[in-house]
Structure formats: C-alpha cells, structure tokens
Amino acid sequence: MFTVFNQYPTFLVFLAVVFAMVVTMVLTPLWIKFLKSSHIGQQVRADGPESHLVKQGTPTMGGVIMLIAVIAVALFVGMPTPETFVLLAATVLTGLLGLVDDASKVVKERSLGLTPKAKIVGQVAIATAFVLVAVNWLGIQPTVEIPFVVTLDFGILTTVVPVGDGIAIPWLYLLFMNILLVGMCNAVNLTDGLDGLAAGTVMIVMIVMAAIAYRSDLLEPAIFAAALAGACIGFLWFNSFPADIFMGDTGSLALGMALGCLAVLTKTEFVSLIIGGLFVAEALSVMIQVFYYKKTKKRIFLMAPLHHHFEKKGWSETKVVVRFWIISGVLAATGFSLYFAETLMAVASPWLRGELIANRKHAPHHLGRVLVLGLGQERPRGGRVPAAASGRSRGSAGRGGRGAQRGLRGIRGRGARGRRARRVRGRSGGRAGGRGGRVVRPVHREPRHLAVLGLLRGSRGRIGRGDQRGGVRLARER
C-alpha cells in the first residue's frame, strides 16, 4: 500500500509505529466491549498479591488486537519479504498457542489453562521450525557472536537430511536457539503481571530491535519490530493502571517469540539477552526461588516473579512499573551501544584526532576512556566480518597494525604512572589504504579494536581520515 515511500525507508519504519498504534487504539475499545458482553475476563491466581483480587473479571486476550495490528502493518507497509512471512508465522502461531491457553482459563474458570508441558512442547515445535527455516532458506549462519570477545560456531555438529537440496540441522545452534526462544517466550509471559509492565518494557525493547534491524539493512524486520512497538504503545493506553484489558498469554507469548526471532535474524542472540535483560531477570527470579525452596524450604524473594517481590516490600504497583520501565530502558540502551560500538568509534574519532595526539604521555589513560566506548567493526548477519568490509581499515594500518600489538604489551609492562610508554615502530606495509597495503591480521589474543594503540608508535605517526564505516586509519607521514 505504501510502496510509494520505499525510497524513504526511515519514514516507513516510523509509519509502521504510527499505523500499528492507531489500529490498536481503534480496535481495542470494540474488543473490550465484546469481551464484557461475552463475560470473558481474567482469572486471578489465588496465591498472588491480595491487591490483585480486584482485577478478577477484567477483559483479557488483548493480544488478539495487537497481532491484528502487526499483521496489517507488516503486509501493507513496505514490501513483504521471506523474513516478514517467517517472523509473522512464528509470532502468530505462538499467539494462537497463547489464545488456546487463555480460552481454556475462561472455560474452566481458573487461573491455569494449558499444562506447562503442553505449552513447552508447542513453543519448542515453533522455535525448531523457525530456526531450521532461518538457517536453510534465509541464509542465517549458525553462529553466536559475543561482541569483542569471540564468535561461537555452533554449526560444527550439523546433519544434512537428503530432502530436496538437503536440510541442514545444526544441532548445537538448534539447542541454543530453542533455549533462547522458549526462554524469552516465558520470560515475557512472567513479566506480564502488573498493569502496563509487559507492554511498556516490550515497547522499549522493540524500538531498539527496530533500530538494530534497520542498521543491519533488514528493512522488513525493522518494520515488523516497529509495528510491535506501535501496537504496544496503543495497547498501553488501555492497559495502564488501572487496566481496562490484559494482553493475556495471547500477547505475552507472541511478543516473547517475536523478540527471540528478531534476535536470530539480526544476529544479536547474545546482545538480546542484555537488551531484554529485565525479562531475563524476571525468569531467573522464578527459577532461583523454586530451586532454593525445594532445597531449603525457604524463600529468597518475598514472592516471585521479581515485580511481586517489590510489591510485597510496600512499593505501589505504579512505582514498580515505572521503575522497571527505567531499568528496561537502561538495559536496552546498553545493548544498543554494545551493538553499535563502531558508531561510537565514529563519534570518538574527532576527539582522538585532537586530544590523544596532543597529550601523548597520558595516552594510555585516554585510551582507557575510548576503549570503554567499544571500538570495533560492524557485525554482518552471518556473524563474520568479510574481507571486503575489513580489508580497507586493515590495509590502511600497514605500519601501525602489528606495532599496535607490541605497543599494547609495552604499556602493560610498565605499571607506574608517569613512565613514558615504549615507542614502537610498525613494520613497512605500503601506502595507507593503497593498493600495495599489507593486510595486518591481529594477534589472536588481542581484540581487533585495540589496533588503535598503533597511535603510540612515535612522533612520525599520524591519524589519517576515517573510512566510511567510522574505523580509524593509521598511516605514516610521508
């Protein structure tokens, strides 16, 4: 519908937020009216906080409207791709699983719907199908990247089933992704215990995931994530305290699965654990509580999940929700900064050109401040940095690359403040960024981004102009 705006991808992402928000805000009052007339309401658990008993009978299954809004936006904003349909399939199927759970609660008039085993089996089936499709048809590499540390290759144990062109089953990656996707599903579900808590935190996380997908040149997943954020904003209007409607398992399970699937497509499996750190904390609080109680018959928390613990400590429901929003925002910003470390490097480059060279004797101290920002290269979808993307910055460091490694060891060898760092001369490598430039591969035990230490090699060194990716180019004055 909005293909005329394809040349303005940023506008499409913002349009997805607005469109999903409007659709949700228009349809939710009608859905609430229908649920009330049908006497479909939430069944509150008897062992929960006493203040929640007044919520008995509040309309639930609001996730149905959120899914409708997301489907409409994903199909009519931009140009749907295979990634779009795979994301929608995984999210909608998980939402249907939650819908069955919510419906069984209403029919049986109790707070427990499907058995935990039945829900886990359904979630594992959906997660397994998604991962196999992503690896075999979407070109996702079975790797997990820990920024600035290591890239774990989980494809070393792979079985190829001779069906068609062959279906690869990377067992280790499949196991890890099942833990991530099923865990994220249930973590978001556990977070959905206070008015506005899950909707607000998922909205923050999805905005960050949309930005990451957009930066990774994945426009359709970015639109999908933006639609989820917009749907959460629209739903939050009716879900804020005191809530007029709950999203139910229909919404919380679907949102958790969507977050995990986006992490797979953007290759942020590890970073997503930081971005969604609040959900991880909620799930861990339940696991720790159950394990500790079975061992000692005592409780660590006053009540699990974690948000109920603070309610028991006397915090009002609104205070818990707002403060958890803040925590979620901080964690999402941390993960966002970690993923976009090279962008931070581009911001720090002007400061490096000025202060770092002007005050060489304090260079180790200044570098510590820069390294905290995180210097590195962009992570592609496959989890590896291709030679074409990294050759320019490596080749331009012909005289400084290997010298940087020595320079680092020289700095570490002198612990006393005030001692001048040993000057290191890099090996010859041709013109900076020229055709004859020698490709310098970092020593295995040193992170690639520490090549900036080549700046310490003496007065003959200078900082060249940064390349288009924001990396620092080291060259020798001719």
Side-chain angles (χ1 to χ4, degrees):
M1 179 184 297
F2 297 99
T3 54
V4 66
F5 298 115
N6 280 349
Q7 57 182 326
Y8 307 108
T10 307
F11 176 76
L12 288 177
V13 175
F14 282 101
L15 182 64
V17 175
V18 176
F19 191 15
M21 180 185 66
V22 171
V23 171
T24 305
M25 294 187 71
V26 169
L27 296 181
T28 300
L30 303 177
W31 184 240
I32 293 175
K33 184 177 180 180
F34 168 77
L35 293 174
K36 286 184 176 180
S37 63
S38 303
H39 303 287
I40 299 176
Q42 176 72 27
Q43 301 297 319
V44 179
R45 49 186 284 197
D47 58 342
E50 296 80 4
S51 60
H52 289 206
L53 297 178
V54 298
K55 301 180 180 182
Q56 179 76 21
T58 302
T60 185
M61 293 186 283
V64 171
I65 302 302
M66 301 174 71
L67 289 177
I68 292 174
V70 171
I71 293 172
V73 171
L75 295 180
F76 296 107
V77 176
M79 294 290 291
T81 61
E83 287 85 355
T84 305
F85 293 110
V86 172
L87 285 170
L88 282 175
T91 303
V92 172
L93 287 175
T94 310
L96 291 176
L97 179 66
L99 182 62
V100 173
D101 185 47
D102 288 334
S104 63
K105 293 177 184 178
V106 174
V107 172
K108 297 177 182 179
E109 295 185 350
R110 62 174 189 170
S111 60
L112 299 176
L114 294 176
T115 63
K117 183 178 180 179
K119 288 194 287 188
I120 292 296
V121 169
Q123 293 166 12
V124 168
I126 295 170
T128 300
F130 172 81
V131 173
L132 292 179
V133 170
V135 170
N136 289 278
W137 285 279
L138 300 183
I140 300 300
Q141 297 296 320
T143 58
V144 175
E145 187 169 317
I146 303 177
F148 306 125
V149 179
V150 67
T151 297
L152 302 174
D153 187 2
F154 284 161
I156 57 176
L157 184 60
T158 301
T159 301
V160 179
V161 179
V163 176
D165 294 333
I167 300 177
I169 305 177
W171 295 105
L172 295 179
Y173 187 71
L174 186 63
L175 175 62
F176 180 81
M177 286 300 100
N178 266 282
I179 295 174
L180 175 65
L181 297 180
V182 175
M184 199 63 74
C185 266
N186 292 281
V188 176
N189 181 248
L190 291 171
T191 306
D192 186 30
L194 299 179
D195 296 350
L197 180 57
T201 51
V202 171
M203 178 264 295
I204 295 170
V205 168
M206 285 302 169
I207 290 175
V208 172
M209 294 304 297
I212 289 176
Y214 183 82
R215 184 63 175 84
S216 302
D217 294 328
L218 298 171
L219 178 59
E220 298 306 324
I223 292 175
F224 177 80
L228 287 168
C232 287
I233 296 173
F235 184 76
L236 193 58
W237 182 267
F238 305 96
N239 186 236
S240 58
F241 182 83
D244 299 320
I245 187 173
F246 300 136
M247 68 172 65
D249 287 3
T250 309
S252 59
L253 292 179
L255 291 174
M257 180 62 74
L259 174 57
C261 293
L262 284 168
V264 173
L265 293 186
T266 57
K267 299 305 296 177
T268 54
E269 297 95 339
F270 179 81
V271 175
S272 67
L273 297 177
I274 301 175
I275 296 174
L278 181 67
F279 309 134
V280 177
E282 293 272 23
L284 287 177
S285 68
V286 175
M287 297 169 63
I288 293 171
Q289 183 88 322
V290 172
F291 176 80
Y292 190 76
Y293 183 79
K294 287 183 177 180
K295 292 294 183 180
T296 65
K297 299 302 179 182
K298 297 180 181 179
R299 292 178 172 85
I300 295 179
F301 304 102
L302 298 178
M303 182 178 286
L306 192 59
H307 52 263
H308 289 325
H309 170 77
F310 290 103
E311 275 194 297
K312 286 289 188 179
K313 289 178 69 69
W315 291 17
S316 66
E317 183 170 346
T318 305
K319 177 176 288 189
V320 175
V321 170
V322 172
R323 287 184 174 177
F324 274 42
W325 285 354
I326 295 172
I327 294 172
S328 180
V330 172
L331 291 171
T334 302
F336 182 88
S337 301
L338 185 61
Y339 183 82
F340 284 106
E342 69 164 5
T343 303
L344 295 178
M345 177 56 193
V347 174
S349 294
W351 175 78
L352 279 172
R353 283 195 289 269
E355 183 176 356
L356 187 58
I357 287 188
N359 200 355
R360 289 178 184 275
K361 67 178 181 179
H362 297 300
H365 172 69
H366 295 322
L367 281 174
R369 284 156 46 186
V370 178
L371 294 179
V372 170
L373 296 177
L375 314 182
Q377 294 177 333
E378 180 181 7
R379 267 65 174 173
R381 291 172 54 192
R384 297 188 179 94
V385 179
S390 58
R392 184 177 182 183
S393 59
R394 289 181 181 177
S396 63
R399 297 186 61 89
R402 293 178 182 263
Q405 307 298 331
R406 297 182 179 179
L408 177 63
R409 291 192 287 270
I411 294 171
R412 289 178 175 174
R414 302 174 182 270
R417 181 176 296 183
R419 293 183 182 180
R420 189 168 185 179
R422 185 180 62 179
R423 294 186 178 181
V424 180
R425 296 183 180 181
R427 300 179 182 181
S428 59
R431 292 185 177 181
R435 297 181 178 179
R438 181 179 180 179
V439 176
V440 179
R441 301 189 180 276
V443 178
H444 175 69
R445 60 179 175 271
E446 304 293 357
R448 184 183 297 114
H449 57 279
L450 291 182
V452 71
L453 289 175
L455 292 171
L456 302 179
R457 60 191 172 84
S459 59
R460 292 184 298 174
R462 66 179 177 87
I463 299 181
R465 182 180 179 184
D467 63 13
Q468 63 180 355
R469 292 288 186 183
V472 175
R473 300 174 62 185
L474 308 175
R476 182 185 178 187
E477 292 182 351
R478 298 182 58 82

